[in-house]
Amino acid sequence: MNTDEFTQQIKKVYNRAGTLYQRAGESHVIAYPELLGDSLEELRTSLEELRVAEEELRQQNEELASTREIVEAERQRYQELFEFAPDGYLVTDADGTIREANRAAADLLGIAHNYLIGKPLIIFISQEERRAFRTKLLRLREVGSEREWEVIVKPRHDKCFHAALTVASVRDRQDKVVSLRWIMRDITARKEAEEKIRTYHLQNLQLQEASRLKSQFLALMSHELRTPMNAIIGFSQLLLRQRNHQLPPSQANMVERIFNSGKHLLKMIEEILDFSKLEAGRLDLDLAEFNVAALVRETVEELRCLAEQKQLEVNIQCCLDNPCVVNDKARLRQVLVNLISNAIKFTDSGSISLEAQELSDNRVAIAVRDTGIGIDPSDLQQIFQEFRQVNQSLTRDKGGTGLGLAISDRLVRMMQGKIKVESQLGEGSTFQVELPRQIPVELEVLS
Ligand code: ADP
């Protein structure tokens, strides 16, 4: 029941009471006691209605009071949120004159809160950006809001900083902008991070380009060197094999050195070429079924003479129920040659052992074990990086490019396998290649 209804109700009761008085004033009422009874009854009903109306009004008043309390609590809450928000909150009129501001806004603008009120917001925008700011402020009347508007803020007594403004307009019933609500956020840290990312990205692009040029140069150079090197090896071999015009021993010795050095150089050139192909993703696997135990034996036989030159014992142990594997035979041979040559190169006495075994139905492993100089645990991860050698001084007595293990590691990963190494300084090393029995064709294509 609203106030009007209540007034109406009182009026009704008043009228009824008036009628009763009027009747009571008439002399014949006493003569009609039943009329008096009716009138009193009427009065009682009216009073009852009045009481109900009063009750309803009281209830409404209580509800109103509690609603007012809730509204007040909400207002208080929003005031606190406004006041203690970490971002700067401002309310300006449509022209941008500050009407309200929270503490964060006062801090950001470097001015006491009470001096902030009444100031145009534009005076806190850097000189160079004021014209653009003014234009955008005018446009806000049409567009209504703006998000993440980046400006350079100039606080009263401090240096400029990057800020992001988010602004929304408040309109009256005639759709006229009456005020603007602003959120101001200091984005200096974000800007610096973005700048760093941009710099890193640029550096990364430059590095990628440098790396591409390096790979291109390596590929070109090794390709160009291969042809004359093959000629040197071929002709020196011819000179050594002559039956009719045998070279005197001193010359034969020199030609043999030319031949061996040529072979050594050719191996290095081929490693560089392989590596540049791997880097450029231009190396494909040639999959076929082969006998892995036979491959291990053949490879060891090829290199046995090198081990014998150093009086190293060579052992082979193949415990494979099923030696058939589907993979790239030539590339696996290349990996084994690298591991066995290293084992011989870095072992001065003792033995080299090869062991092939089944790890599970679909995985096989080949281990190359030596009793050589071993590798310090801190160097174990680095030896698989390209051009990494444990002793990188120019005076190191062992030759090599430092590419063998990097190439082997990449090749084995292309074959869906992995290389593990265990080693102790002075006690020898074990390199183990694990491979799937059958490389899944679709995975090979993806790699
Ligand atoms: P390279 O043999 O041409 O130097 P690799 O990539 O094959 O290059 O090997 C990298 C380095 O790892 C070697 O220079 C050597 O220091 C270390 N290394 C590899 N195999 C062995 C091994 N069996 N014993 C000791 N050190 C080894």
Side-chain angles (χ1 to χ4, degrees), residues 342 345-346 370 375 383 388-390 396 400-402 404-405:
N342 275 350
K345 185 159 69 174
F346 295 104
D370 65 58
I375 304 162
I383 57 171
R388 282 290 186 154
Q389 295 169 318
V390 171
R396 74 199 294 270
T401 53
L405 283 179

Side-chain angles (χ1 to χ4, degrees), residues 136-149:
K136 237 175 180 175
L137 191 64
L138 284 174
R139 272 195 56 222
L140 270 176
R141 294 177 191 197
E142 293 142 42
V143 295
S145 65
E146 182 80 39
R147 294 185 72 80
E148 294 294 307
W149 165 11

Side-chain angles (χ1 to χ4, degrees), residues 267 271 338-339 342-347 370 372-375 383-385 387-391 396 398-408 423 428-431:
K267 183 174 167 277
E271 276 187 354
N338 177 246
L339 296 183
N342 275 350
I344 297 172
K345 185 159 69 174
F346 295 104
T347 304
D370 65 58
I373 58 170
I375 304 162
I383 57 171
F384 290 99
Q385 291 169 11
F387 305 111
R388 282 290 186 154
Q389 295 169 318
V390 171
N391 173 3
R396 74 199 294 270
K398 319 279 184 219
T401 53
L403 277 175
L405 283 179
I407 293 174
S408 300
S423 188
S429 316
T430 304
F431 286 81

Side-chain angles (χ1 to χ4, degrees), residues 53-208:
E54 187 203 28
E55 182 59 31
E56 270 181 37
L57 198 67
R58 220 189 50 238
Q59 203 176 326
Q60 279 183 4
N61 270 342
E62 276 169 16
E63 278 170 17
L64 203 65
S66 95
T67 311
R68 198 172 293 141
E69 265 173 35
I70 293 171
V71 170
E72 178 56 23
E74 281 289 284
R75 199 195 63 77
Q76 189 71 26
R77 203 160 69 85
Y78 281 109
Q79 184 64 34
E80 278 168 17
L81 278 177
F82 178 79
E83 205 45 45
F84 298 109
D87 290 328
Y89 279 94
L90 296 138
V91 179
T92 68
D93 60 19
D95 299 325
T97 305
I98 300 170
R99 297 289 171 222
E100 282 180 60
N102 68 352
R103 285 168 200 217
D107 287 349
L108 283 172
L109 300 177
I111 181 169
H113 181 265
N114 47 332
Y115 291 118
L116 198 56
I117 308 303
K119 301 260 176 336
L121 182 56
I122 197 164
I123 64 169
F124 298 100
I125 302 297
S126 77
Q127 200 86 36
E128 309 76 60
E129 292 197 343
R130 284 192 188 161
R131 180 192 280 261
F133 184 86
R134 206 171 285 119
T135 315
K136 237 175 180 175
L137 191 64
L138 284 174
R139 272 195 56 222
L140 270 176
R141 294 177 191 197
E142 293 142 42
V143 295
S145 65
E146 182 80 39
R147 294 185 72 80
E148 294 294 307
W149 165 11
E150 289 189 12
V151 291
I152 295 176
V153 168
K154 171 74 190 85
R156 205 12 101 78
H157 302 295
D158 217 339
K159 55 182 183 18
C160 291
F161 65 89
H162 286 276
L165 300 177
T166 294
V167 52
S169 58
V170 181
R171 293 170 188 269
D172 63 11
R173 291 191 180 181
Q174 284 75 44
D175 204 32
K176 192 166 155 265
V177 175
V178 283
S179 65
L180 297 167
R181 292 182 184 156
W182 305 75
I183 302 176
M184 181 182 284
R185 184 170 301 155
D186 182 349
I187 53 164
T188 314
R190 191 180 90 192
K191 281 274 163 197
E192 281 170 5
E194 279 171 7
E195 190 50 41
K196 268 193 194 143
I197 290 173
R198 236 194 318 277
T199 316
Y200 289 150
H201 185 65
L202 198 72
Q203 283 173 351
N204 199 13
L205 285 179
Q206 287 167 345
L207 283 175
Q208 275 177 15

Side-chain angles (χ1 to χ4, degrees), residues 356-410:
Q357 56 168 326
E358 263 140 359
L359 293 178
S360 66
D361 278 355
N362 48 19
R363 272 190 104 70
V364 293
I366 305 162
V368 181
R369 187 165 294 126
D370 65 58
T371 56
I373 58 170
I375 304 162
D376 191 287
S378 63
D379 290 318
L380 281 181
Q381 281 313 307
Q382 291 167 15
I383 57 171
F384 290 99
Q385 291 169 11
E386 50 271 22
F387 305 111
R388 282 290 186 154
Q389 295 169 318
V390 171
N391 173 3
Q392 289 195 295
S393 68
L394 290 175
T395 51
R396 74 199 294 270
D397 52 348
K398 319 279 184 219
T401 53
L403 277 175
L405 283 179
I407 293 174
S408 300
D409 185 48
R410 289 196 191 202

Side-chain angles (χ1 to χ4, degrees), residues 315-326:
N315 308 307
I316 306 177
Q317 207 181 346
C318 286
C319 348
L320 292 160
D321 287 338
N322 173 9
C324 284
V325 162
V326 177

